Amino acid sequence: MAHGPDDAKSTGSADEADLLRFGYQETMERRTSRFASFAVAFAFVSIATGIFTTYGSTLRSSGPVGIWTWPIVVVGQLAVALVFGTLAARIPVTGYVYQWTSRLAHPGLGWILGWLSFTFLAIAAVAVDYTVASTVLPALLGYGETAGNAWAVTAGMLFLQALLVAYSTKWSERVNNTAVIAELVGMGALVVLLLVVGAFRSDLSAGNLFSTGSVPAEDYFGFGGLTHTGPWVLGFLLGAFTIVGFESACNLAEETRDPETVVPRAMWKAVVASGVLGFLFLLAVTMAAGDPVAPASATPVADVIQRVLGSVAGNLLLSLVAVSIFACGLVIMMTGVRLIWAMSRDERFPGWRAWRKVDASTGTPRNATFFLLIVTEAILAVFANQTDALLNLSSAGTLLPAIIYTAVVVLYLVRRRRLPAGHGFSLGRFETPVAVVALVWLAFELSIFRDSSFAEPWIYVCVMTAGGALYLGWLLWRRGLHGLAMPDMHSIDAGFKAGPDNRDGGTA
């Protein structure tokens, strides 16, 4: 059925009324469509980014057979996305984790999780751009794979992404939408071409899919010990690093039309699409990888593509991958800026007076964008000279969301019976089983990080948490507990008294 201007106007009025019930005036323009919301979630997940970042380390730690952990991760993260969907349908406000936990548990806990989300987004932006600078562009442009080159290229990409986010949400979304289409087409083409050309040239080996490569087969499937993790278990980090960030769609809730319906569906569809396409790509790359025992290069995926498809076709497809990874960093930057702005709107973020402003000419939180740019450049300066910078960045970018997701799912299980019924998305009788699956998966994922090789990511988490705790303590000292109360905190249910039957659109 076609929708005319009156339908759009009534939907916009209903969205604005919902936001008022949570204590906020409409500030951002609601321009994000269904596809744009999906594109934001899909771009953050970005299978191109995740696989190009971690495939080499997976070969070294788990061998080719480690890719079979991917479907398990997809099921676990899909369960998390569904839980997040139920919360997004109930509290469709920018700030996602910060808003949800502040209103459902305590503003202090919400602040800590909001701060951890900020630290995750800041380091994830660096990790993503460092990926394209160190694993894709060297093969595409032919420059040396040195720490200095990766640093310079990453710094430039962060600056370009910040300019887009600061000056035009419209163009940021257009770039991202185009990049997502390119990623879907490009990754699909890569799968088909690698399989067809590889089979024609007899370059495919199904045996690779079940080889441990250079990893010893003894105790391969063991869980590990107190301070070390078994080889196959480490393979779960391939999917765990990649299938994250789907919740980015929640952080554009106040810019999305009918967010209670659109955002939850954008998240689970992004996980499913990424999971299926990503696994097909892993199968194709692994079968075409050649000798499974040979040491993995710094750019194994790019090497396979160029060897099998040749330089011309390989470079064309690598260019599409580079665009996809750039879009992933762009979406992370956009998501982080919205979180800073949301916390600053509530006078909670350090320097909030400057970051809560929305520029009248661009309609964007421009100050918050340049602040995040400075933070990401500082993180890059700390990590970039390390020989294992990409591993540490990706590990921290996997650990932080696992902690955040676990806290939110636990809170959901504890408080779900006190939540109002969602009118845009609901799990119905599957609510408890899905949440339990999510919690079991997250507990297992966190157990992987007991390995001593993840000491530096834990240090980063602890340092950032301690810094946040100090600022929270200062806020409590200055304002007291009452000073952290959320707008319209007294009644979440009041926002839903109208019910689905009294809203335009209803439950889709």
Side-chain angles (χ1 to χ4, degrees), residues 158-445:
L158 288 168
F159 181 72
L160 289 175
Q161 289 159 348
L163 286 181
L164 267 173
V165 173
Y167 287 99
S168 179
T169 299
K170 179 179 180 180
W171 275 102
S172 295
E173 288 190 346
R174 282 181 176 177
V175 169
N176 183 56
N177 291 349
T178 303
V180 164
I181 294 172
E183 181 168 8
L184 288 167
V185 173
M187 295 298 284
L190 274 172
V191 171
V192 173
L193 288 173
L194 285 174
L195 292 176
V196 172
V197 177
F200 179 78
R201 296 177 51 182
S202 300
D203 279 343
L204 299 182
S205 174
N208 284 1
L209 300 176
F210 307 99
S211 170
T212 61
S214 59
V215 180
E218 184 178 357
D219 200 31
Y220 177 84
F221 291 100
F223 190 66
L226 185 62
T227 58
H228 74 278
T229 307
W232 192 68
V233 174
L234 284 173
F236 282 86
L237 296 178
L238 171 64
F241 173 75
T242 305
I243 313 293
V244 295
F246 42 80
E247 71 278 9
S248 57
C250 302
N251 224 16
L252 271 71
E254 293 178 34
E255 298 164 75
T256 304
R257 297 188 288 269
D258 191 18
E260 301 95 327
T261 300
V262 171
V263 170
R265 285 161 175 75
M267 287 192 288
W268 73 256
K269 288 178 181 178
V271 172
V272 171
S274 300
V276 173
L277 185 55
F279 191 55
L280 292 175
F281 181 65
L282 283 171
L283 292 174
V285 167
T286 302
M287 285 192 289
D291 184 3
V293 181
S297 73
T299 58
V301 179
D303 292 346
V304 170
I305 292 171
Q306 290 190 323
R307 177 175 57 80
V308 175
L309 302 181
S311 60
V312 176
N315 286 344
L316 175 61
L317 291 168
L318 282 177
S319 298
L320 292 177
V321 170
V323 170
S324 300
I325 299 178
F326 178 85
C328 177
L330 177 68
V331 165
I332 295 172
M333 182 77 70
M334 187 186 303
T335 306
V337 167
R338 267 48 179 189
L339 178 61
I340 294 169
W341 172 77
M343 295 180 71
S344 298
R345 174 175 59 178
D346 292 338
E347 303 180 4
R348 307 287 162 80
F349 201 85
W352 55 266
R353 287 181 177 84
W355 321 135
R356 68 176 178 175
K357 297 177 181 177
V358 175
D359 187 82
S361 60
T362 63
T364 62
R366 195 162 63 186
N367 290 352
T369 305
F370 290 121
F371 169 72
L372 183 57
L373 173 63
I374 293 171
V375 171
T376 54
E377 297 286 8
I379 293 173
L380 174 63
V382 171
F383 279 92
N385 282 327
Q386 300 177 8
T387 56
D388 54 353
L390 188 56
L391 175 61
N392 287 327
L393 286 166
S394 61
S395 297
T398 309
L399 174 59
L400 278 163
I403 294 172
I404 296 165
Y405 292 173
T406 301
V408 172
V409 171
V410 169
L411 173 63
Y412 178 78
L413 281 168
V414 172
R415 299 296 298 263
R416 68 190 189 283
R417 300 194 184 282
R418 303 182 187 182
L419 287 169
H423 54 270
F425 181 82
S426 174
L427 294 177
R429 65 179 183 275
F430 297 106
E431 178 184 62
T432 300
V434 168
V436 170
V437 168
L439 186 60
V440 170
W441 152 242
L442 291 168
F444 172 75
E445 181 185 1

Side-chain angles (χ1 to χ4, degrees), residues 130-153:
Y130 199 88
T131 294
V132 73
S134 62
T135 68
V136 180
L137 293 183
L140 187 61
L141 303 180
Y143 64 75
E145 300 168 16
T146 66
N149 287 341
W151 185 353
V153 174

